[in-house]
Amino acid sequence: MGTTADPLAVLGSLPGVADSVALVRKAVDQAYGHRVMRRRSDEVASEAALRGARASAALAGADWALEEIRRRSDFSVDGEARTVGAALRLTAESGQLLGVWRQSPLQALARLHLVAAGGAAPDETVGRPRLAGEPVDEPLLQEAEFVLPAASEVVARLDGLAELLLAGSDAPALVVAAVVHGELLCLRPFGTYNGPLARAAQRLVLVGSGLDPKSICPAEVGHAELGRADYLKALRGYVSGTPEGMAAWIAHCGRAVGLGVRESVAVCEALQRGAA
C-alpha cells in the first residue's frame, strides 16, 4: 500500500477508482433524495437491512427466499438456518457499534463475532482471533482454494488494519469499506462466519463515514447479485495486492453498493405505490 502516511488514500488515487467513487456517491445521493425518504426512511432502512442480511447469507451458502426469512422465527435448526440467523443478527448489531468501531475496531469485530455465533453453545474460540492450528469453517473460500493465512499473520494484519482506521484517512468511504471487507475476507480471523462478518464491517464503514448514514444502501444485495464467481474473482485481485487487483476489488465493491442503492430505490417506489 505504499510508504506514505495515508496508504488508503493511495488506493483512492488508483486508475478508475475515482470514477467508481463518483458513481457510488451519485447513486447514494439519488436514493437519499427520493421523496419517500423524507417521511419513511426508517421503513426503507429496515427493509434494506433484511434484504442485505438475506443476500449476505446467500453468499455464505444459505440462499433463502426473502419471504421465508420473514416467516421464520427459529434460526437454530440446522447449518443454513444458523447462517441466516447470524447474518440477521450481524446486520442489526452493526448499527449499534459505531461508537465502539471508531474507538476500537478490534473490539467491535470481537463483538460482531459473538453476535454472529449467537451464544448457542459455550466455545472459547468465539469472539477472539483464531490461534495456530484452529480450523476455519468458511466453505465459500475453502472451495475456491484461498490460502488460509497463519494465525500469527492474522494478528499482525488485524493490528495494522486497526491502526490505519484509528489514524483516520482522506480516502473515500468506498475505498476504506472495500479494504476492511477484503482484509477480513482473506484473513478469516475467526473460526466461523467470517464472510457475513466482513460484509457487516463494510456496512459499518459506509454508515460511520457518512456516505450512508441511515444504512439504506445494502451492498450485500449487490455482491449477491453480481454472483459468487465474480465476488471471488474480485477478491483474488485484492489478495494479489497489485494496483490493478486492488482497483478491481474496489470497483467491484462500488458496483455492489450501486446495486444495493437500486434495491432501496425499488423499495421506495413500492412504498410510494403502497405496495410494500
Side-chain angles (χ1 to χ4, degrees), residues 52-53 56-57 59-60 83 86-91 93-94 97 101 105-117 125-129 138 158 161 177 180-205 220 231:
S56 188
L59 284 168
T83 297
L88 288 166
R89 290 190 298 273
L90 281 167
T91 301
E93 185 69 14
S94 61
L97 282 179
W101 177 261
L106 299 186
Q107 184 182 340
L109 292 174
R111 172 62 186 166
L112 285 172
H113 191 245
L114 280 167
V115 166
T125 69
V126 172
R128 64 151 173 80
E138 202 68 48
L158 281 178
L161 180 63
V180 168
H181 184 175
E183 193 71 356
L184 293 175
L185 270 183
C186 67
L187 286 182
R188 284 158 281 172
F190 300 100
T192 53
Y193 301 119
N194 290 288
L197 185 147
R199 292 183 284 276
Q202 174 185 252
R203 176 185 286 266
L204 257 172
V205 174
E220 304 95 326
Y231 190 56

CSV table of all heavy atoms in Angstrom, one decimal, residues 52-53 56-57 59-60 83 86-91 93-94 97 101 105-117 125-129 138 158 161 177 180-205 220 231:
chain,number,residue,atom,x,y,z
A,52,GLY,N,-30.3,-7.0,2.9
A,52,GLY,CA,-28.9,-7.2,3.0
A,52,GLY,C,-28.5,-8.4,3.7
A,52,GLY,O,-27.6,-9.1,3.3
A,53,ALA,N,-29.1,-8.7,4.8
A,53,ALA,CA,-28.8,-9.9,5.6
A,53,ALA,C,-29.1,-11.2,4.7
A,53,ALA,O,-28.4,-12.1,4.7
A,53,ALA,CB,-29.7,-9.9,6.9
A,56,SER,N,-26.3,-11.6,2.2
A,56,SER,CA,-25.1,-12.0,2.8
A,56,SER,C,-25.1,-13.5,3.2
A,56,SER,O,-24.1,-14.2,3.0
A,56,SER,CB,-24.8,-11.1,4.1
A,56,SER,OG,-23.5,-11.4,4.6
A,57,ALA,N,-26.2,-13.9,3.7
A,57,ALA,CA,-26.4,-15.3,4.0
A,57,ALA,C,-26.3,-16.2,2.7
A,57,ALA,O,-25.7,-17.3,2.7
A,57,ALA,CB,-27.7,-15.6,4.7
A,59,LEU,N,-24.6,-15.5,0.0
A,59,LEU,CA,-23.2,-15.7,-0.3
A,59,LEU,C,-22.5,-16.7,0.5
A,59,LEU,O,-21.5,-17.3,0.1
A,59,LEU,CB,-22.5,-14.3,-0.2
A,59,LEU,CG,-22.8,-13.3,-1.4
A,59,LEU,CD1,-22.3,-11.9,-1.0
A,59,LEU,CD2,-22.1,-13.8,-2.7
A,60,ALA,N,-22.9,-16.9,1.7
A,60,ALA,CA,-22.3,-17.8,2.7
A,60,ALA,C,-22.9,-19.2,2.5
A,60,ALA,O,-22.6,-20.1,3.3
A,60,ALA,CB,-22.5,-17.3,4.1
A,83,THR,N,-26.8,-19.8,9.6
A,83,THR,CA,-26.1,-18.8,8.8
A,83,THR,C,-27.0,-17.6,8.5
A,83,THR,O,-26.6,-16.5,8.6
A,83,THR,CB,-25.7,-19.5,7.4
A,83,THR,OG1,-24.7,-20.5,7.7
A,83,THR,CG2,-25.1,-18.4,6.5
A,86,ALA,N,-27.3,-15.7,11.8
A,86,ALA,CA,-26.1,-14.9,12.0
A,86,ALA,C,-26.1,-13.7,11.2
A,86,ALA,O,-25.7,-12.6,11.7
A,86,ALA,CB,-24.9,-15.8,11.7
A,87,ALA,N,-26.5,-13.8,9.9
A,87,ALA,CA,-26.5,-12.6,9.1
A,87,ALA,C,-27.5,-11.5,9.6
A,87,ALA,O,-27.2,-10.3,9.5
A,87,ALA,CB,-26.8,-13.0,7.6
A,88,LEU,N,-28.6,-12.0,10.0
A,88,LEU,CA,-29.7,-11.1,10.5
A,88,LEU,C,-29.1,-10.4,11.8
A,88,LEU,O,-29.3,-9.2,12.0
A,88,LEU,CB,-30.9,-11.9,10.9
A,88,LEU,CG,-31.8,-12.3,9.7
A,88,LEU,CD1,-32.8,-13.4,10.1
A,88,LEU,CD2,-32.4,-11.2,9.0
A,89,ARG,N,-28.5,-11.1,12.7
A,89,ARG,CA,-28.0,-10.5,13.9
A,89,ARG,C,-26.9,-9.6,13.7
A,89,ARG,O,-26.8,-8.5,14.3
A,89,ARG,CB,-27.6,-11.6,14.9
A,89,ARG,CG,-28.7,-12.5,15.5
A,89,ARG,CD,-28.2,-13.4,16.6
A,89,ARG,NE,-27.2,-14.3,16.1
A,89,ARG,CZ,-27.5,-15.5,15.6
A,89,ARG,NH1,-28.8,-15.9,15.5
A,89,ARG,NH2,-26.5,-16.4,15.3
A,90,LEU,N,-26.0,-9.9,12.7
A,90,LEU,CA,-24.9,-9.0,12.4
A,90,LEU,C,-25.4,-7.7,11.8
A,90,LEU,O,-24.9,-6.6,12.2
A,90,LEU,CB,-24.0,-9.7,11.4
A,90,LEU,CG,-23.0,-10.8,11.9
A,90,LEU,CD1,-22.4,-11.6,10.8
A,90,LEU,CD2,-21.9,-10.1,12.8
A,91,THR,N,-26.4,-7.8,10.9
A,91,THR,CA,-26.9,-6.6,10.3
A,91,THR,C,-27.5,-5.7,11.4
A,91,THR,O,-27.3,-4.4,11.4
A,91,THR,CB,-27.9,-6.9,9.3
A,91,THR,OG1,-27.3,-7.7,8.3
A,91,THR,CG2,-28.5,-5.7,8.6
A,93,GLU,N,-26.8,-5.7,14.7
A,93,GLU,CA,-25.8,-5.2,15.6
A,93,GLU,C,-24.9,-4.2,15.1
A,93,GLU,O,-24.5,-3.3,15.8
A,93,GLU,CB,-25.0,-6.4,16.1
A,93,GLU,CG,-24.0,-6.1,17.2
A,93,GLU,CD,-24.6,-5.8,18.6
A,93,GLU,OE1,-25.8,-6.1,18.7
A,93,GLU,OE2,-23.9,-5.3,19.4
A,94,SER,N,-24.6,-4.2,13.8
A,94,SER,CA,-23.7,-3.3,13.2
A,94,SER,C,-24.1,-1.8,13.4
A,94,SER,O,-23.3,-0.9,13.6
A,94,SER,CB,-23.4,-3.6,11.7
A,94,SER,OG,-24.6,-3.5,11.0
A,97,LEU,N,-22.9,-0.4,16.8
A,97,LEU,CA,-21.5,-0.5,17.2
A,97,LEU,C,-20.6,0.7,16.7
A,97,LEU,O,-19.4,0.6,16.7
A,97,LEU,CB,-20.9,-1.8,16.7
A,97,LEU,CG,-21.2,-3.1,17.5
A,97,LEU,CD1,-20.6,-4.3,16.9
A,97,LEU,CD2,-20.7,-2.9,18.9
A,101,TRP,N,-16.7,1.0,17.2
A,101,TRP,CA,-15.8,0.8,16.0
A,101,TRP,C,-14.9,2.0,15.8
A,101,TRP,O,-13.7,1.8,15.5
A,101,TRP,CB,-16.7,0.8,14.7
A,101,TRP,CG,-16.0,0.7,13.4
A,101,TRP,CD1,-15.8,1.7,12.6
A,101,TRP,CD2,-15.4,-0.5,12.8
A,101,TRP,NE1,-15.1,1.3,11.5
A,101,TRP,CE2,-14.9,-0.1,11.6
A,101,TRP,CE3,-15.4,-1.8,13.2
A,101,TRP,CZ2,-14.2,-1.0,10.7
A,101,TRP,CZ3,-14.7,-2.7,12.3
A,101,TRP,CH2,-14.2,-2.3,11.1
A,105,PRO,N,-11.7,-0.8,16.7
A,105,PRO,CA,-12.2,-1.7,15.7
A,105,PRO,C,-12.1,-3.2,16.0
A,105,PRO,O,-13.0,-3.9,15.7
A,105,PRO,CB,-11.3,-1.3,14.5
A,105,PRO,CG,-10.8,0.0,14.7
A,105,PRO,CD,-10.7,0.2,16.2
A,106,LEU,N,-11.0,-3.5,16.7
A,106,LEU,CA,-10.9,-4.9,17.0
A,106,LEU,C,-11.9,-5.4,18.1
A,106,LEU,O,-12.4,-6.5,18.0
A,106,LEU,CB,-9.4,-5.2,17.6
A,106,LEU,CG,-8.3,-4.9,16.6
A,106,LEU,CD1,-7.0,-5.4,17.1
A,106,LEU,CD2,-8.6,-5.6,15.2
A,107,GLN,N,-12.2,-4.5,19.0
A,107,GLN,CA,-13.3,-4.8,20.0
A,107,GLN,C,-14.6,-5.0,19.3
A,107,GLN,O,-15.4,-5.9,19.6
A,107,GLN,CB,-13.3,-3.7,21.1
A,107,GLN,CG,-14.3,-4.0,22.2
A,107,GLN,CD,-14.4,-2.9,23.2
A,107,GLN,OE1,-13.5,-2.1,23.3
A,107,GLN,NE2,-15.5,-2.9,23.9
A,108,ALA,N,-14.9,-4.1,18.3
A,108,ALA,CA,-16.1,-4.2,17.6
A,108,ALA,C,-16.2,-5.5,16.8
A,108,ALA,O,-17.2,-6.2,16.7
A,108,ALA,CB,-16.2,-3.0,16.6
A,109,LEU,N,-15.1,-5.9,16.2
A,109,LEU,CA,-15.0,-7.2,15.4
A,109,LEU,C,-15.3,-8.4,16.4
A,109,LEU,O,-16.0,-9.3,16.0
A,109,LEU,CB,-13.7,-7.3,14.7
A,109,LEU,CG,-13.5,-6.4,13.5
A,109,LEU,CD1,-12.0,-6.6,13.0
A,109,LEU,CD2,-14.5,-6.6,12.4
A,110,ALA,N,-14.7,-8.3,17.5
A,110,ALA,CA,-14.9,-9.4,18.5
A,110,ALA,C,-16.4,-9.5,18.9
A,110,ALA,O,-17.0,-10.6,19.0
A,110,ALA,CB,-14.1,-9.2,19.7
A,111,ARG,N,-17.0,-8.3,19.1
A,111,ARG,CA,-18.4,-8.3,19.4
A,111,ARG,C,-19.3,-8.8,18.3
A,111,ARG,O,-20.2,-9.6,18.5
A,111,ARG,CB,-18.8,-6.8,19.8
A,111,ARG,CG,-20.3,-6.6,20.0
A,111,ARG,CD,-20.9,-7.4,21.1
A,111,ARG,NE,-22.3,-7.3,21.2
A,111,ARG,CZ,-23.1,-8.1,21.9
A,111,ARG,NH1,-22.6,-9.1,22.6
A,111,ARG,NH2,-24.4,-7.9,21.9
A,112,LEU,N,-18.9,-8.4,17.1
A,112,LEU,CA,-19.7,-8.9,15.9
A,112,LEU,C,-19.6,-10.5,15.8
A,112,LEU,O,-20.6,-11.1,15.5
A,112,LEU,CB,-19.1,-8.3,14.6
A,112,LEU,CG,-19.5,-6.8,14.4
A,112,LEU,CD1,-18.8,-6.3,13.2
A,112,LEU,CD2,-21.0,-6.7,14.2
A,113,HIS,N,-18.4,-11.0,16.1
A,113,HIS,CA,-18.3,-12.5,16.0
A,113,HIS,C,-19.2,-13.1,17.1
A,113,HIS,O,-19.8,-14.2,16.9
A,113,HIS,CB,-16.9,-12.9,16.1
A,113,HIS,CG,-16.7,-14.4,15.8
A,113,HIS,ND1,-16.3,-15.3,16.7
A,113,HIS,CD2,-17.0,-15.1,14.6
A,113,HIS,CE1,-16.3,-16.5,16.1
A,113,HIS,NE2,-16.8,-16.4,14.9
A,114,LEU,N,-19.2,-12.6,18.3
A,114,LEU,CA,-20.0,-13.1,19.4
A,114,LEU,C,-21.5,-13.1,19.0
A,114,LEU,O,-22.2,-14.0,19.2
A,114,LEU,CB,-19.8,-12.3,20.7
A,114,LEU,CG,-18.6,-12.5,21.5
A,114,LEU,CD1,-18.4,-11.4,22.5
A,114,LEU,CD2,-18.7,-13.9,22.2
A,115,VAL,N,-21.9,-12.0,18.4
A,115,VAL,CA,-23.3,-11.8,17.9
A,115,VAL,C,-23.6,-12.9,16.8
A,115,VAL,O,-24.6,-13.5,16.8
A,115,VAL,CB,-23.5,-10.4,17.4
A,115,VAL,CG1,-24.8,-10.3,16.7
A,115,VAL,CG2,-23.5,-9.5,18.6
A,116,ALA,N,-22.7,-13.0,15.9
A,116,ALA,CA,-22.9,-14.0,14.8
A,116,ALA,C,-23.0,-15.4,15.3
A,116,ALA,O,-23.9,-16.1,14.9
A,116,ALA,CB,-21.7,-13.9,13.8
A,117,ALA,N,-22.1,-15.8,16.3
A,117,ALA,CA,-22.2,-17.1,16.8
A,117,ALA,C,-23.5,-17.3,17.6
A,117,ALA,O,-23.9,-18.4,17.8
A,117,ALA,CB,-21.0,-17.3,17.7
A,125,THR,N,-13.4,-20.3,21.4
A,125,THR,CA,-12.9,-19.7,20.1
A,125,THR,C,-13.8,-18.5,19.7
A,125,THR,O,-13.4,-17.7,18.8
A,125,THR,CB,-12.9,-20.7,19.0
A,125,THR,OG1,-14.2,-21.0,18.6
A,125,THR,CG2,-12.1,-22.0,19.4
A,126,VAL,N,-15.0,-18.4,20.3
A,126,VAL,CA,-15.9,-17.3,19.8
A,126,VAL,C,-15.5,-15.9,20.4
A,126,VAL,O,-15.1,-15.8,21.6
A,126,VAL,CB,-17.3,-17.6,20.3
A,126,VAL,CG1,-18.3,-16.4,20.0
A,126,VAL,CG2,-17.9,-18.9,19.6
A,127,GLY,N,-15.4,-14.9,19.5
A,127,GLY,CA,-15.1,-13.6,19.9
A,127,GLY,C,-13.7,-13.3,20.0
A,127,GLY,O,-13.3,-12.2,20.6
A,128,ARG,N,-12.8,-14.1,19.5
A,128,ARG,CA,-11.4,-13.8,19.5
A,128,ARG,C,-10.8,-14.4,18.2
A,128,ARG,O,-11.3,-15.4,17.7
A,128,ARG,CB,-10.7,-14.4,20.7
A,128,ARG,CG,-10.7,-15.9,20.8
A,128,ARG,CD,-9.5,-16.5,21.5
A,128,ARG,NE,-9.5,-17.9,21.8
A,128,ARG,CZ,-9.2,-18.8,20.8
A,128,ARG,NH1,-8.9,-18.5,19.6
A,128,ARG,NH2,-9.3,-20.1,21.1
A,129,PRO,N,-9.7,-13.8,17.8
A,129,PRO,CA,-9.0,-14.3,16.6
A,129,PRO,C,-8.5,-15.8,16.8
A,129,PRO,O,-8.1,-16.1,17.9
A,129,PRO,CB,-7.8,-13.4,16.4
A,129,PRO,CG,-8.3,-12.1,17.0
A,129,PRO,CD,-9.1,-12.5,18.2
A,138,GLU,N,-15.3,-21.9,6.5
A,138,GLU,CA,-15.7,-20.9,5.6
A,138,GLU,C,-15.8,-21.5,4.2
A,138,GLU,O,-14.9,-21.3,3.3
A,138,GLU,CB,-14.6,-19.7,5.6
A,138,GLU,CG,-15.1,-18.4,5.1
A,138,GLU,CD,-16.2,-17.8,6.1
A,138,GLU,OE1,-15.9,-17.8,7.3
A,138,GLU,OE2,-17.2,-17.4,5.6
A,158,LEU,N,-4.4,-7.7,11.5
A,158,LEU,CA,-5.6,-7.0,12.2
A,158,LEU,C,-5.1,-5.8,12.9
A,158,LEU,O,-5.8,-4.8,12.9
A,158,LEU,CB,-6.2,-8.0,13.2
A,158,LEU,CG,-7.2,-9.1,12.6
A,158,LEU,CD1,-7.7,-10.0,13.7
A,158,LEU,CD2,-8.3,-8.4,11.9
A,161,LEU,N,-4.5,-3.1,10.4
A,161,LEU,CA,-5.8,-2.6,9.9
A,161,LEU,C,-6.4,-1.6,11.0
A,161,LEU,O,-6.9,-0.5,10.6
A,161,LEU,CB,-6.8,-3.7,9.6
A,161,LEU,CG,-8.2,-3.3,9.1
A,161,LEU,CD1,-8.1,-2.6,7.8
A,161,LEU,CD2,-9.1,-4.5,9.0
A,177,ALA,N,-14.1,1.0,3.0
A,177,ALA,CA,-15.0,-0.1,3.2
A,177,ALA,C,-14.5,-1.3,2.4
A,177,ALA,O,-14.6,-2.4,2.9
A,177,ALA,CB,-16.4,0.3,2.8
A,180,VAL,N,-11.5,-2.9,4.3
A,180,VAL,CA,-11.9,-3.6,5.5
A,180,VAL,C,-12.6,-4.9,5.1
A,180,VAL,O,-12.2,-6.0,5.7
A,180,VAL,CB,-12.9,-2.7,6.3
A,180,VAL,CG1,-13.6,-3.6,7.4
A,180,VAL,CG2,-12.1,-1.6,7.0
A,181,HIS,N,-13.4,-4.9,4.1
A,181,HIS,CA,-14.1,-6.0,3.6
A,181,HIS,C,-13.1,-7.1,3.1
A,181,HIS,O,-13.2,-8.3,3.5
A,181,HIS,CB,-15.1,-5.6,2.6
A,181,HIS,CG,-16.0,-6.7,2.0
A,181,HIS,ND1,-17.0,-6.4,1.1
A,181,HIS,CD2,-16.0,-8.0,2.2
A,181,HIS,CE1,-17.6,-7.5,0.8
A,181,HIS,NE2,-17.0,-8.5,1.4
A,182,GLY,N,-12.3,-6.6,2.2
A,182,GLY,CA,-11.3,-7.5,1.6
A,182,GLY,C,-10.3,-8.1,2.6
A,182,GLY,O,-10.0,-9.3,2.6
A,183,GLU,N,-9.8,-7.3,3.5
A,183,GLU,CA,-8.9,-7.8,4.5
A,183,GLU,C,-9.5,-8.9,5.4
A,183,GLU,O,-8.9,-9.9,5.7
A,183,GLU,CB,-8.3,-6.6,5.3
A,183,GLU,CG,-7.1,-6.9,6.2
A,183,GLU,CD,-5.8,-7.1,5.3
A,183,GLU,OE1,-5.9,-7.1,4.1
A,183,GLU,OE2,-4.8,-7.3,6.0
A,184,LEU,N,-10.7,-8.6,5.9
A,184,LEU,CA,-11.3,-9.6,6.8
A,184,LEU,C,-11.7,-10.9,6.0
A,184,LEU,O,-11.6,-12.0,6.6
A,184,LEU,CB,-12.6,-9.0,7.4
A,184,LEU,CG,-12.3,-7.9,8.4
A,184,LEU,CD1,-13.6,-7.2,8.8
A,184,LEU,CD2,-11.5,-8.3,9.6
A,185,LEU,N,-12.1,-10.8,4.7
A,185,LEU,CA,-12.4,-12.0,4.0
A,185,LEU,C,-11.1,-12.8,3.8
A,185,LEU,O,-11.2,-14.0,4.0
A,185,LEU,CB,-12.9,-11.6,2.6
A,185,LEU,CG,-14.4,-11.4,2.4
A,185,LEU,CD1,-14.7,-11.1,1.0
A,185,LEU,CD2,-15.2,-12.7,2.9
A,186,CYS,N,-10.0,-12.2,3.4
A,186,CYS,CA,-8.8,-13.0,3.1
A,186,CYS,C,-8.1,-13.5,4.4
A,186,CYS,O,-7.5,-14.6,4.4
A,186,CYS,CB,-7.9,-12.4,2.1
A,186,CYS,SG,-7.0,-10.9,2.7
A,187,LEU,N,-8.2,-12.8,5.5
A,187,LEU,CA,-7.6,-13.2,6.7
A,187,LEU,C,-8.4,-14.3,7.4
A,187,LEU,O,-7.8,-15.2,8.0
A,187,LEU,CB,-7.5,-12.0,7.7
A,187,LEU,CG,-6.4,-11.0,7.4
A,187,LEU,CD1,-6.4,-9.9,8.5
A,187,LEU,CD2,-5.1,-11.6,7.3
A,188,ARG,N,-9.7,-14.2,7.3
A,188,ARG,CA,-10.6,-15.2,8.0
A,188,ARG,C,-10.1,-15.3,9.5
A,188,ARG,O,-9.7,-16.3,9.9
A,188,ARG,CB,-10.6,-16.6,7.3
A,188,ARG,CG,-11.5,-16.6,6.1
A,188,ARG,CD,-11.1,-17.7,5.2
A,188,ARG,NE,-9.9,-17.4,4.4
A,188,ARG,CZ,-9.2,-18.2,3.6
A,188,ARG,NH1,-9.6,-19.4,3.5
A,188,ARG,NH2,-8.1,-17.8,3.0
A,189,PRO,N,-10.2,-14.2,10.2
A,189,PRO,CA,-9.6,-14.2,11.6
A,189,PRO,C,-10.3,-15.0,12.6
A,189,PRO,O,-9.8,-15.4,13.6
A,189,PRO,CB,-9.7,-12.7,12.0
A,189,PRO,CG,-10.9,-12.1,11.2
A,189,PRO,CD,-10.8,-12.9,9.9
A,190,PHE,N,-11.6,-15.4,12.3
A,190,PHE,CA,-12.4,-16.2,13.3
A,190,PHE,C,-12.6,-17.6,12.7
A,190,PHE,O,-12.5,-17.8,11.5
A,190,PHE,CB,-13.7,-15.5,13.7
A,190,PHE,CG,-13.5,-14.1,14.3
A,190,PHE,CD1,-13.6,-13.0,13.5
A,190,PHE,CD2,-13.1,-14.0,15.6
A,190,PHE,CE1,-13.4,-11.7,14.0
A,190,PHE,CE2,-12.9,-12.7,16.1
A,190,PHE,CZ,-13.0,-11.6,15.4
A,191,GLY,N,-13.1,-18.5,13.6
A,191,GLY,CA,-13.3,-19.8,13.2
A,191,GLY,C,-14.5,-20.0,12.3
A,191,GLY,O,-14.6,-21.0,11.5
A,192,THR,N,-15.5,-19.1,12.4
A,192,THR,CA,-16.7,-19.2,11.7
A,192,THR,C,-17.2,-17.8,11.3
A,192,THR,O,-16.8,-16.8,11.8
A,192,THR,CB,-17.8,-19.8,12.5
A,192,THR,OG1,-17.9,-19.1,13.8
A,192,THR,CG2,-17.6,-21.3,12.8
A,193,TYR,N,-18.1,-17.7,10.3
A,193,TYR,CA,-18.9,-16.5,9.9
A,193,TYR,C,-18.0,-15.4,9.5
A,193,TYR,O,-18.4,-14.2,9.6
A,193,TYR,CB,-19.8,-16.1,11.1
A,193,TYR,CG,-20.8,-17.1,11.5
A,193,TYR,CD1,-20.8,-17.7,12.8
A,193,TYR,CD2,-21.7,-17.6,10.7
A,193,TYR,CE1,-21.7,-18.6,13.2
A,193,TYR,CE2,-22.7,-18.6,11.1
A,193,TYR,CZ,-22.6,-19.1,12.3
A,193,TYR,OH,-23.5,-20.1,12.7
A,194,ASN,N,-16.9,-15.6,9.0
A,194,ASN,CA,-16.0,-14.5,8.5
A,194,ASN,C,-16.6,-13.7,7.4
A,194,ASN,O,-16.5,-12.5,7.3
A,194,ASN,CB,-14.6,-15.0,8.2
A,194,ASN,CG,-13.8,-15.5,9.4
A,194,ASN,OD1,-13.4,-14.7,10.2
A,194,ASN,ND2,-13.7,-16.8,9.5
A,195,GLY,N,-17.3,-14.4,6.4
A,195,GLY,CA,-17.9,-13.7,5.3
A,195,GLY,C,-19.0,-12.8,5.7
A,195,GLY,O,-18.9,-11.6,5.4
A,196,PRO,N,-20.0,-13.3,6.4
A,196,PRO,CA,-21.0,-12.3,6.9
A,196,PRO,C,-20.4,-11.2,7.8
A,196,PRO,O,-20.9,-10.1,7.7
A,196,PRO,CB,-21.9,-13.3,7.7
A,196,PRO,CG,-21.8,-14.6,7.1
A,196,PRO,CD,-20.3,-14.7,6.7
A,197,LEU,N,-19.4,-11.5,8.6
A,197,LEU,CA,-18.8,-10.5,9.4
A,197,LEU,C,-18.1,-9.4,8.6
A,197,LEU,O,-18.2,-8.2,8.9
A,197,LEU,CB,-17.9,-11.2,10.4
A,197,LEU,CG,-17.2,-10.3,11.5
A,197,LEU,CD1,-17.0,-11.1,12.8
A,197,LEU,CD2,-15.9,-9.7,11.0
A,198,ALA,N,-17.4,-9.9,7.6
A,198,ALA,CA,-16.7,-8.9,6.7
A,198,ALA,C,-17.7,-8.0,6.0
A,198,ALA,O,-17.4,-6.8,5.9
A,198,ALA,CB,-15.8,-9.7,5.7
A,199,ARG,N,-18.8,-8.5,5.6
A,199,ARG,CA,-19.8,-7.7,4.9
A,199,ARG,C,-20.5,-6.7,5.9
A,199,ARG,O,-20.9,-5.6,5.6
A,199,ARG,CB,-20.8,-8.6,4.2
A,199,ARG,CG,-20.1,-9.3,3.0
A,199,ARG,CD,-21.1,-10.1,2.2
A,199,ARG,NE,-21.5,-11.4,2.8
A,199,ARG,CZ,-20.8,-12.5,2.7
A,199,ARG,NH1,-19.6,-12.5,2.1
A,199,ARG,NH2,-21.2,-13.6,3.3
A,200,ALA,N,-20.7,-7.2,7.2
A,200,ALA,CA,-21.2,-6.3,8.2
A,200,ALA,C,-20.3,-5.2,8.5
A,200,ALA,O,-20.7,-4.0,8.8
A,200,ALA,CB,-21.5,-7.1,9.5
A,201,ALA,N,-19.0,-5.5,8.5
A,201,ALA,CA,-17.9,-4.5,8.8
A,201,ALA,C,-17.9,-3.4,7.7
A,201,ALA,O,-17.8,-2.2,7.9
A,201,ALA,CB,-16.6,-5.1,9.0
A,202,GLN,N,-18.1,-3.9,6.4
A,202,GLN,CA,-18.2,-3.0,5.3
A,202,GLN,C,-19.4,-2.0,5.5
A,202,GLN,O,-19.3,-0.8,5.3
A,202,GLN,CB,-18.4,-3.7,4.0
A,202,GLN,CG,-18.7,-2.9,2.8
A,202,GLN,CD,-19.0,-3.6,1.5
A,202,GLN,OE1,-18.2,-3.7,0.6
A,202,GLN,NE2,-20.2,-4.2,1.5
A,203,ARG,N,-20.5,-2.6,6.0
A,203,ARG,CA,-21.7,-1.7,6.2
A,203,ARG,C,-21.4,-0.7,7.3
A,203,ARG,O,-21.8,0.5,7.2
A,203,ARG,CB,-22.9,-2.6,6.7
A,203,ARG,CG,-24.1,-1.9,7.1
A,203,ARG,CD,-25.2,-2.9,7.6
A,203,ARG,NE,-25.8,-3.6,6.6
A,203,ARG,CZ,-26.9,-3.3,6.0
A,203,ARG,NH1,-27.5,-2.2,6.3
A,203,ARG,NH2,-27.4,-4.0,5.0
A,204,LEU,N,-20.7,-1.1,8.4
A,204,LEU,CA,-20.3,-0.2,9.4
A,204,LEU,C,-19.5,1.0,8.9
A,204,LEU,O,-19.7,2.1,9.3
A,204,LEU,CB,-19.4,-0.9,10.5
A,204,LEU,CG,-20.0,-1.4,11.8
A,204,LEU,CD1,-19.1,-2.3,12.6
A,204,LEU,CD2,-20.4,-0.2,12.6
A,205,VAL,N,-18.5,0.7,8.0
A,205,VAL,CA,-17.7,1.8,7.5
A,205,VAL,C,-18.6,2.7,6.6
A,205,VAL,O,-18.4,3.9,6.7
A,205,VAL,CB,-16.6,1.2,6.6
A,205,VAL,CG1,-15.8,2.3,5.9
A,205,VAL,CG2,-15.6,0.4,7.5
A,220,GLU,N,-24.5,-5.7,0.3
A,220,GLU,CA,-24.6,-7.2,0.3
A,220,GLU,C,-25.5,-7.7,-0.8
A,220,GLU,O,-25.2,-8.7,-1.5
A,220,GLU,CB,-25.1,-7.7,1.6
A,220,GLU,CG,-24.3,-7.3,2.9
A,220,GLU,CD,-24.9,-6.1,3.5
A,220,GLU,OE1,-25.5,-5.2,2.8
A,220,GLU,OE2,-24.8,-6.0,4.8
A,231,TYR,N,-17.5,-12.3,-7.3
A,231,TYR,CA,-17.0,-11.9,-5.9
A,231,TYR,C,-15.7,-12.5,-5.6
A,231,TYR,O,-14.7,-11.8,-5.2
A,231,TYR,CB,-18.1,-12.5,-4.9
A,231,TYR,CG,-18.0,-12.0,-3.5
A,231,TYR,CD1,-18.0,-10.7,-3.1
A,231,TYR,CD2,-17.9,-13.0,-2.5
A,231,TYR,CE1,-17.9,-10.3,-1.8
A,231,TYR,CE2,-17.9,-12.6,-1.1
A,231,TYR,CZ,-17.9,-11.2,-0.8
A,231,TYR,OH,-17.9,-10.9,0.5
